[in-house]
Amino acid sequence: MRYTPTKELLFRSSYSTAFRAPTLSDLFLPRFIGNTADNHSDPIRCPRSTPIGGFVNEGLECDAQFTRSSAATTL
């Protein structure tokens, strides 16, 4: 919503229901940085782990592991 009562004054506001409050583990546990467990291939550029064309970087797009970040958990 936007409301401009004068040329020099502007009020703006918004409303959304997509907010999720952080959990205690989101706030206080350290983040874990690691790699994906399996290798993944780009399905368009590298179907069945076989690079198509000379523009494909085989090391990045065929059988690659990706960096992931998640909250550390305690058992």
Side-chain angles (χ1 to χ4, degrees), residues 2-52:
R2 180 178 171 152
Y3 175 63
T4 312
T6 66
K7 187 176 181 180
E8 294 82 21
L9 188 61
L10 168 68
F11 294 103
R12 285 189 259 183
S13 68
S14 65
Y15 173 79
S16 175
T17 60
F19 176 76
R20 179 184 72 87
T23 63
L24 290 175
S25 62
D26 290 341
L27 293 173
F28 299 111
L29 288 178
R31 302 297 294 173
F32 171 76
I33 306 291
N35 291 330
T36 54
D38 295 327
N39 293 337
H40 303 281
S41 294
D42 185 321
I44 303 298
R45 295 176 167 225
C46 202
R48 294 182 295 283
S49 299
T50 306
I52 294 178

Side-chain angles (χ1 to χ4, degrees), residues 53-71:
F55 58 87
V56 175
N57 185 337
E58 189 172 349
L60 295 176
E61 299 173 278
C62 300
D63 294 329
Q65 286 188 320
F66 299 100
T67 303
R68 67 180 187 92
S69 173
S70 62

